[in-house]
Structures are given as C-alpha cells and as structure tokens.
Amino acid sequence: MNKQLKEDLQNLEVLLEEAKNQGIDYLHNIAERQTSIQTLKESVSSLRSGGIGGLGALQLFNEKFERLIVGASGPRYLGYVVGGTTPASIIGDWLATIYDQNPQTTQAQGDVSIVIEKQTIHLLLDLFGLPHNYLGGFVTGATMSNFTCLAVARQWFGRNFNKDYAKNGISEKINILSAVPHSSAIKALSMLGIGSNNVIMVDVEEGEREAIHLQSLEQQIIKLNGQAFILISSAGTVNTADFDDFEAISKLKEKYNFWWHIDGAFGAFAACSPQHRHLLKGWEGADSITIDCHKWLNVPYDSAVVFVKEKHKVLQLETFQNSNAPYLGDPNADINYLNFLPENSRRLRALPAWFSLVAYGKEGYKDIVENAIQMARMLGDFIERNESFELLAPVNLNNVCFTLKDTANVSNFLTTLNNAAKVFMTPTVFKGKQAIRASFVNWRTNESDLEMVMDEMRKVVINLDT
Ligand SMILES: *Cc1c(COP(=O)(O)O)cnc(C)c1O
C-alpha cells in the first residue's frame, strides 16, 4: 500500500474529526458567510508526484479555497432556486459517501441500497400526495429528470407509429407543445435529438401570468390534426412560480392523444402546504413528473427524482435498456435501475432524502414550505410599498419577481447589492423587462434575515439616487 494511503488509513479518526469540526464551524456561521466573492485570483498548480496526505490536502484546501466558499446554502442566498441542507440530510449524505453503495439491480447479492431508494420514492410520493401508480428513481438534478422523462415520452411518441426509436433512431418529427418550459427542458430536447427549436410555443394567460393559455393550447392541438404530441407543462415557473391549470389539462387528456409531462422541480412542494395544494389539483393525471430534491427538500446537491406512470414501464425499459451487457442481470425483473435510468453505476443518492424525510416528516416540510412562502410575501409587500421598486407579479408561492421603477438602474442595483455579499439575487427578463428574482427555498431563512435583505436593498437604492 502507498505510504500516504497507509498513513491516512491509520489516521482516519483524526482526518474525519478535522473535517467534521470544520463542517460544524461552517454550518454554525453560515448566516455570516459572504454570499458572493469578487474576482478569483488563484493560481493553478500542477499535480505533485508525491502526495501530501489527507491532512495536508485539507490544509492546502483551506489556504487556497475555503475563504472563497460562499454561503450558497445559507439563509440569504436567494438567487436561482437553491435550497440548503437540513442536518439530517447531511448525515445521510456523509453516510452515502462512507458506505459508497451502487444502487442498480435487485439481483445484487446482499445489497440493500436499491431497497432504500425504492422506499425513499415511496416516502416522496406520500409527501406530495401522489398516487402510488408512479415508478421513480433518483437522478442528479431536475435537468436530468426532465431528460429522462422526455426520453420515455420520445419512445412513447414513436410507438404511435409502431416505431422503436430507442433501437432505430427518430424517423418522425416529434411534436412538442409548451408555454414557458424551463431552459433545462429545452436542453433535454437538444440532447434527445428532438431539437431545441422544435417546440410549438403556446401563448400564456393574460396579465402577469406565465401559465399556458388553455384556448390557444387547444387550438394548437386541433392544428395537429389528430397527431400525437408531448406537452411540457409547468408546476412553478422560475420567474413567478406560476402553474398551468392541471385540471383543465386532465380534461384535454380525455379528448386527445398526448404524453403529459410536468416540470415541478420546486413547485411540486406546494403540495406540502394545505393552503397551496390546490395549485397542483389534477396533476396526478400526468404521465411523468420532474421534482428536484436539492431545492426545496433541502438536501445537498446531486438529488432529483423522476416519476413515470407504472403503465409506461415497458417504454422506460426500452429507452434505458442496458442489455448489451448481459452479465448485469435480467432486464425483465422488478425495477433494475440499470435498465431504468440513464446512468449505470450510481451514488446512493436517496440516502440524504431518506434521512431528511424520516427526520422531519410531513409537518417538517409543511413548515419549511410555508415559512419560505411567508418570507416571499413579506419581501413582496416591502417591494410594493417602496417607491423605487415595482413588483412584476403577485407573489404566488416562493419567488418574487420585481424591477426598479427606473429599469435603467436594474443591472447597477443588482451588481451593487450582490457585491455587498450579504444577500444574493439573480437577474431575469420578465415580459420584456429587465428584472430581478428572489427565490425563497432555504429552511433557515427567518424574519431577521429578511430585515437585513430589505436594509441592503434600501441602502443600494439610496446610493443609486445620489
Ligand atoms: C432548477 C430547475 C430545473 C433544473 O434543475 P437542476 O437541478 O438545476 O438540473 C428544471 N426545472 C425547473 C422548473 C427548475 O426550477
């Protein structure tokens, strides 16, 4: 055994203790962490021939990078849609690394990891109040979940022509309809050979809405003249967290032949709150659903799920068949993730989610979700009352979309706000206007964080005017 490896093995307790203490220190002080850093000036060094051991690496990491780590999982990081990490999810994540299992096949001897993954899927269906006629599994993020769901949809589309696209490639133009698809769904279309330009864009409802306009949708469907199509709908758009009308779409499902996909990366969590569950009414009619766990579930990155109706199991197996490696097991057995999802070898990604779901239950997630919504509303109220800002849409859930009355100042405002490094928001364009979004998903965010956010916003605005 290599000398450094041998030393580290003997020194394991010290190594993990050091990392643990550093982790605790970070987590205790996360609210004070800067939310952004200015230009990076770290030099690149080449790989040494002899290593410096685990402790040496930790020391070097601390010298080079630690101070540059931002509080992205902290309470005032409101950019994109980022979550955080609940304490229990960290236990699960650490243990997933330590156990280093490969959840893949039911035939694996003496390996419980696939059972843990399936049970976690079961718990998630309970959390969202979804029927258990979906099969699911973990992928790295909602981008991969959209990719996976749309890959099965593609196979379904081919079957309408008695074609097997998985085996023979795409031979028909695939009809895709959507109103406000997330950029990652469009990226999935390009990865799938469907083509990112090949989306028939449907209008949205009038006013500040981002939900699909139902009459326009039906008109587009009629234009297809009975051809099959794939509908990508939204449970939570990134700007305003708007939802398509799922009850109405369910009714269309009775009349027309289409695959219904819902991107509910974060919006699905509305199901955790009795006052907001109505936004998802009818969603159980969808053929496939994307949900991100590293957002509102507040587990570490590398976590999203795919839900596809069990009745489509054969299509999914056709799509992800890995049978060119016969030693890997019988593809027709119960779920074997090897033939069911894009990856072959996989991390036990379900473990952080399992820990967090078990630790906090439905109540815990109701509290996390409702707290975030309350924070978003408070920020929305502040923006409405402040004469420098304009709220661009009512706060529907957890995202606040706003601009400055003088839109020429938006970019300057945002740069100054983010550079102060106490709060982080991201730019967007909403209905042609330069705008800013603040998204509340972190379980830690509280009213004093919000006070600080509003203070920072006021300060920047005052300086812009002088
Ligand atoms: C974040 C997000 C995605 C992409 O998720 P990743 O986890 O970043 O891959 C897809 N759809 C929606 C609606 C999102 O909010």
Side-chain angles (χ1 to χ4, degrees):
M1 189 187 281
N2 167 277
K3 179 171 136 279
Q4 297 288 4
L5 274 170
K6 195 170 175 183
E7 251 176 57
D8 275 1
L9 183 60
Q10 280 160 357
N11 221 10
L12 205 52
E13 222 172 303
V14 176
L15 285 179
L16 293 184
E17 188 67 19
E18 284 287 320
K20 181 193 82 178
N21 290 336
Q22 184 162 327
I24 291 171
D25 190 52
Y26 173 81
L27 292 170
H28 277 333
N29 297 300
I30 198 164
E32 281 79 53
R33 269 274 159 165
Q34 75 250 16
T35 51
S36 69
I37 49 157
Q38 317 255 332
T39 44
L40 255 175
K41 285 199 208 75
E42 276 303 324
S43 56
V44 189
S45 35
S46 14
L47 184 64
R48 303 155 194 255
S49 151
I52 55 176
L55 269 186
L58 183 61
Q59 227 164 48
L60 187 63
F61 168 81
N62 286 343
E63 281 159 26
K64 282 170 78 81
F65 301 123
E66 212 284 333
R67 75 201 140 80
L68 303 173
I69 301 279
V70 298
S73 54
R76 291 182 309 283
Y77 198 91
L78 311 176
Y80 315 102
V81 185
V82 299
T85 51
T86 62
S89 76
I90 294 173
I91 308 179
D93 202 64
W94 280 6
L95 291 179
T97 296
I98 285 166
Y99 293 133
D100 198 23
Q101 306 288 296
N102 183 6
Q104 214 178 60
T105 156
T106 36
Q107 282 84 35
Q109 281 184 339
D111 177 1
V112 74
S113 61
I114 190 172
V115 177
I116 297 172
E117 181 155 346
K118 283 186 181 171
Q119 288 192 7
T120 312
I121 290 297
H122 186 94
L123 298 179
L124 282 166
L125 288 171
D126 285 350
L127 180 73
F128 297 120
L130 279 168
H132 286 252
N133 59 358
Y134 285 96
L135 294 176
F138 276 78
V139 290
T140 52
T143 303
M144 277 312 290
S145 178
N146 279 332
F147 171 86
T148 306
C149 293
L150 293 172
V152 186
R154 180 184 67 175
Q155 186 68 0
W156 168 86
F157 189 87
R159 284 299 179 201
N160 284 281
F161 302 87
N162 287 320
K163 302 272 178 78
D164 183 343
Y165 288 171
K167 284 217 166 88
N168 303 313
I170 303 170
S171 45
E172 279 71 28
K173 182 173 181 295
I174 300 183
N175 303 310
I176 309 274
L177 266 62
S178 191
V180 186
H182 188 266
S183 54
S184 66
I186 301 296
K187 180 176 174 175
L189 296 179
S190 86
M191 292 194 283
L192 287 163
I194 295 173
S196 55
N197 271 342
N198 292 327
V199 184
I200 301 168
M201 289 303 237
V202 182
D203 290 340
V204 292
E205 295 286 352
E206 264 138 52
E208 309 100 347
R209 300 294 308 277
E210 291 184 297
I212 198 162
H213 189 279
L214 289 163
Q215 273 151 351
S216 307
L217 173 61
E218 190 151 9
Q219 276 162 14
Q220 290 292 355
I221 296 174
I222 289 166
K223 272 195 207 159
L224 290 174
N225 227 339
Q227 293 174 58
F229 66 97
I230 296 166
L231 175 69
I232 303 175
S233 64
S234 296
T237 54
V238 284
N239 278 335
T240 65
D242 208 349
F243 290 68
D244 291 340
D245 181 340
F246 300 140
E247 270 190 303
I249 295 173
S250 304
K251 298 223 172 77
L252 293 175
K253 240 343 221 163
E254 292 163 16
K255 279 164 75 178
Y256 304 104
N257 178 32
F258 63 101
W259 180 282
W260 178 16
H261 175 64
I262 296 179
D263 182 349
F266 67 90
F269 287 83
C272 300
S273 161
Q275 286 121 279
H276 298 88
R277 204 170 285 157
H278 65 92
L279 294 167
L280 294 159
K281 203 151 182 240
W283 72 323
E284 65 282 353
D287 295 288
S288 57
I289 303 177
T290 283
I291 292 171
D292 234 337
C293 298
H294 55 219
K295 288 178 178 165
W296 228 343
L297 197 69
N298 279 266
V299 303
Y301 276 114
D302 237 46
S303 190
V305 288
V306 169
F307 290 141
V308 180
K309 281 269 164 74
E310 184 162 14
K311 65 179 177 193
H312 300 308
K313 185 176 171 187
V314 171
L315 294 170
Q316 191 161 351
L317 287 170
E318 285 169 357
T319 307
F320 296 107
Q321 197 53 244
N322 194 63
S323 58
N324 53 341
Y327 63 93
L328 294 168
D330 171 10
N332 296 317
D334 198 20
I335 307 187
N336 173 350
Y337 282 119
L338 187 65
N339 296 312
F340 204 66
L341 291 174
E343 296 157 296
N344 280 13
S345 302
R346 314 158 66 231
R347 172 180 170 79
L348 179 46
R349 228 168 247 138
L351 204 54
W354 185 89
F355 265 84
S356 205
L357 287 162
V358 171
Y360 311 115
K362 286 185 183 172
E363 277 295 319
Y365 280 98
K366 172 176 174 287
D367 291 345
I368 289 175
V369 166
E370 290 187 344
N371 175 64
I373 297 170
Q374 198 200 334
M375 295 297 116
R377 288 213 181 121
M378 283 169 65
L379 182 64
D381 289 347
F382 163 75
I383 286 165
E384 269 190 315
R385 284 195 316 268
N386 189 300
E387 58 191 20
S388 307
F389 300 111
E390 182 191 349
L391 190 64
L392 290 173
V395 178
N396 194 30
L397 198 70
N398 60 323
N399 287 355
V400 184
C401 187
F402 68 100
T403 190
L404 273 75
K405 290 257 168 73
D406 182 357
T407 48
N409 277 336
V410 169
S411 144
N412 198 356
F413 168 85
L414 189 58
T415 309
T416 316
L417 182 77
N418 285 345
N419 281 351
K422 293 214 163 62
V423 48
F424 191 82
M425 298 182 186
T426 36
T428 188
V429 175
F430 182 68
K431 312 262 174 196
K433 268 192 190 166
Q434 289 295 322
I436 298 170
R437 333 168 21 265
S439 178
F440 290 86
V441 253
N442 190 288
W443 64 282
R444 289 172 180 265
T445 314
N446 62 29
E447 289 184 22
S448 55
D449 290 306
L450 212 70
E451 288 300 331
M452 197 188 280
V453 170
M454 296 185 290
D455 272 354
E456 291 291 305
M457 289 171 72
R458 279 190 213 103
K459 269 196 251 169
V460 177
V461 166
I462 287 165
N463 289 334
L464 282 180
D465 292 343
T466 54

